[in-house]
Amino acid sequence: AGAANIFNIVGQGQFVAIAGKIGGASNAAARRRRRLEKRRQGIEDDEEEDEGLLGASALSDGLAWLNFHWFSLADYGQSFFNCAPMEFATAEMYGTTIIVVAAITSISIGRIIYELWLHPMLCKCTGKELPAQPLGEFPSYELKTFATGTLGIAESIGFALGTGCRSYVGAGIFFAVVLCIPILGLLKWLRDGMRDRVVYEVNDDSYFHNRFFIAWDRAKRQGRRKTTFSAIVAFAACVNHARERGSWEPNEVDDGVPKSFWEEPVKGFHGKFGSVFEDYVTIGWWFSVWSMLRGLTIGIILGTVASGNVNSGLIAGIYALDWLIEVVIQPHNDAYNVFSGIWSSTARLIQVSFLAAYFNGAASASVAEFANLIMSFLGFLPSMSPIILQILSAITAAIASFAACLGFAQETSGMEGMDMYDESVARADEAQQAAIGALAGNMTSMQMQAARSMQQPGQAQRGYVSAQGFRSGPPSSAGGPPYLPPPGQMGPPMQQMGGSMRPNMQMPPPP
């Protein structure tokens, strides 16, 4: 869930980075560069100054790096490309593509370095068996990075198509086709793998409140709600349990024949493609592909549709469809991500609707600017809140640990070295026993039922012994029925030792 929140924050930032470009208007930086170019050529600057959405445009410019717009090759080779409009594009295609490809390549190189050199060294130094592939099998996080960079590349392709230069337009068409190949390939691989290589297991119940109360009752039966502190801990654990609507489990049989990704892409499907489908339920396994296609379509519309009315209307329609998917289908596996998805999609729809209203004359520039700013901020809240809570929890735990260490130092300030060591060992033993008790308290109801069923034969045998006139317990001088040891101390009648058989001489402990 933490990784999903981070990617949601990045996705919201990428949306804000394109919001100021909706309507086909160039950003402020591009307008300044055009004026400088006209002045250098001695051409009179007759471009109308549109002060309406300069705030939205500036906000988009400040977050352009989230869409991998880090540099423009036009700044280094204008004479080589021979395309003056390329210099004024708000997102340069070649530079953006280089950054995205470099990011994906860096992940692959880092994976190779870890698996071949770093992982064996860490295992040798620590003496522990560490995970060989912490980021999953290839191409799990390569696909995640590609999905993150799709919107930026698509946006740059759209502006390349809008320049009008033949060479740049031809390259943009080529890049668009190349970009569609892995997206459609991923759709095919996901569809093939979903058939028989993974299975989705529902967590207790389909509804959040039912999952919570099932876990809450289970905590009560296990004795994990006796104190206020334990009840708070149990409440947090039950909420986390109820958040998960289900989980994906591998369901394929390994034939033992090693094959590369290119020989059989869906072999080891869960490890290879889990990063793009495990955050969604069965009905929404395709949502990652939809997000990429949505980004591709929006990016091309931004740069190619010159009419502000049509441009903003088409993008508003796409985000309306995205809102319907979030509300009706609810594709996310985490119940909190269902809420944050509905929240964020609603904020985005309101934001682009106000921008579309401005370009159609139904809203003033100040209203559109205000809505763009407020909705941009509100879109970050659902994903930022869990991260802020995790940070606060980590800070609280650190403060509590420091306070415990400070208290221990004050209590043992007058002790000698060995006495202080013995005291620390004793407290560590107490903490260990408390942890063992907590672990025992987490025994599931099934385990408790199994334990009770194992006790029933002993109870029945003791009842039989009493009925036959025997008594349980150690012999006494007062006489009475003969003594029979409890069933757990009787042992088998014979024991085998070293190949020979001898009677079991195990006796009960003395009273």
Side-chain angles (χ1 to χ4, degrees):
N5 287 327
I6 293 175
F7 280 105
N8 289 338
I9 292 173
V10 173
Q12 175 65 16
Q14 290 180 325
F15 166 75
V16 176
I18 67 169
K21 304 172 185 178
I22 293 176
S26 300
N27 58 17
R31 285 196 294 271
R32 289 194 297 269
R33 296 175 67 178
R34 282 198 297 272
R35 291 194 185 94
L36 291 175
E37 181 67 16
K38 289 180 180 180
R39 292 176 184 176
R40 186 178 64 83
Q41 298 176 359
I43 302 175
E44 183 180 356
D45 183 13
D46 57 353
E47 182 177 359
E48 294 183 2
E49 180 71 20
D50 182 10
E51 299 291 346
L53 298 181
L54 285 182
S57 180
L59 183 60
S60 294
D61 291 343
L63 295 176
W65 60 273
L66 285 173
N67 280 321
F68 300 91
H69 305 318
W70 292 8
F71 70 96
S72 171
L73 282 186
D75 296 335
Y76 307 97
Q78 181 180 2
S79 59
F80 174 78
F81 295 107
N82 194 24
C83 179
M86 174 182 174
E87 185 179 359
F88 308 125
T90 56
E92 200 281 305
M93 182 177 63
Y94 295 126
T96 303
T97 304
I98 289 174
I99 296 299
V100 174
V101 172
I104 297 174
T105 305
S106 300
I107 291 178
S108 298
I109 294 176
R111 181 194 300 277
I112 295 174
I113 293 175
Y114 178 84
E115 292 179 3
L116 295 183
W117 292 285
L118 189 58
H119 176 258
M121 182 180 67
L122 291 176
C123 291
K124 183 178 179 180
C125 294
T126 60
K128 299 179 181 180
E129 186 61 31
L130 302 175
Q133 296 175 329
L135 295 181
E137 302 179 19
F138 175 85
S140 56
Y141 264 78
E142 286 82 354
L143 286 173
K144 198 73 173 178
T145 306
F146 171 75
T148 305
T150 300
L151 178 59
I153 296 179
E155 180 191 354
S156 64
I157 291 174
F159 283 107
L161 297 176
T163 58
C165 299
R166 291 185 178 180
S167 59
Y168 207 33
V169 171
I173 295 175
F174 173 76
F175 274 56
V177 173
V178 172
L179 188 62
C180 289
I181 292 176
I183 296 177
L184 298 178
L186 176 61
L187 178 62
K188 179 182 182 303
W189 294 330
L190 288 177
R191 185 189 61 184
D192 294 343
M194 288 293 170
R195 291 174 179 172
D196 55 359
R197 295 183 180 269
V198 289
V199 61
Y200 185 78
E201 297 182 356
V202 179
N203 184 15
D204 284 343
D205 194 88
S206 301
Y207 297 98
F208 174 86
H209 60 279
N210 289 341
R211 293 193 298 270
F212 172 80
F213 285 115
I214 290 174
W216 186 246
D217 292 340
R218 185 184 301 135
K220 181 179 181 180
R221 293 195 303 270
Q222 296 171 357
R224 293 189 285 121
R225 292 167 44 186
K226 294 182 177 179
T227 63
T228 303
F229 178 77
S230 62
I232 295 175
V233 174
F235 178 84
C238 292
V239 170
N240 287 330
H241 172 81
R243 284 177 55 178
E244 296 297 328
R245 303 170 68 184
S247 60
W248 291 96
E249 301 296 336
N251 190 37
E252 60 178 305
V253 179
D254 189 4
D255 55 8
V257 180
K259 294 182 179 179
S260 66
F261 173 80
W262 307 111
E263 292 175 330
E264 188 175 354
V266 295
K267 183 179 177 63
F269 177 75
H270 188 272
K272 292 178 180 178
F273 298 96
S275 62
V276 293
F277 75 83
E278 64 184 359
D279 290 332
Y280 309 103
V281 294
T282 308
I283 197 174
W285 60 267
W286 43 266
F287 192 77
S288 292
V289 179
W290 154 252
S291 299
M292 287 185 271
L293 291 175
R294 179 192 63 196
L296 177 62
T297 306
I298 291 174
I300 293 177
I301 290 175
L302 281 176
T304 57
V305 180
S307 173
N309 299 345
V310 179
N311 187 304
S312 58
L314 289 175
I315 294 178
I318 293 174
Y319 278 107
L321 178 59
D322 185 68
W323 178 81
L324 285 175
I325 292 174
E326 292 281 3
V327 172
V328 177
I329 298 180
Q330 299 182 358
H332 302 281
N333 185 50
D334 191 324
Y336 184 80
N337 287 340
V338 173
F339 161 75
S340 63
I342 295 175
W343 177 288
S344 299
S345 62
T346 303
R348 293 175 186 177
L349 180 58
I350 295 174
Q351 187 169 345
V352 297
S353 297
F354 272 98
L355 295 174
Y358 165 74
F359 285 104
N360 285 273
S364 64
S366 59
V367 172
E369 286 275 20
F370 180 78
N372 181 78
L373 180 62
I374 295 299
M375 291 299 121
S376 296
F377 171 74
L378 293 179
F380 283 104
L381 286 183
S383 300
M384 287 293 296
S385 300
I387 295 179
I388 293 175
L389 290 177
Q390 290 176 1
I391 295 175
L392 292 178
S393 298
I395 294 175
T396 303
I399 293 175
S401 300
F402 176 77
C405 294
L406 184 62
F408 176 78
Q410 292 177 349
E411 293 175 5
T412 58
S413 58
M415 294 184 179
E416 298 293 336
M418 291 302 299
D419 294 337
M420 185 181 298
Y421 173 78
D422 293 338
E423 179 66 19
S424 63
V425 171
R427 296 195 180 190
D429 291 340
E430 293 177 1
Q432 183 179 9
Q433 293 298 325
I436 294 175
L439 182 62
N442 291 331
M443 182 187 298
T444 63
S445 58
M446 184 180 297
Q447 292 172 323
M448 297 176 64
Q449 181 65 28
R452 286 194 295 267
S453 63
M454 293 177 63
Q455 294 173 357
Q456 289 176 356
Q459 296 172 354
Q461 186 171 358
R462 284 192 293 271
Y464 171 78
V465 167
S466 301
Q468 296 297 323
F470 293 93
R471 66 176 179 85
S472 299
S476 63
S477 57
Y483 166 64
L484 185 65
Q489 299 177 0
M490 294 181 66
M494 304 292 289
Q495 290 182 345
Q496 184 175 357
M497 297 185 58
S500 62
M501 301 293 293
R502 68 178 180 84
N504 177 24
M505 302 301 293
Q506 180 180 356
M507 296 298 292

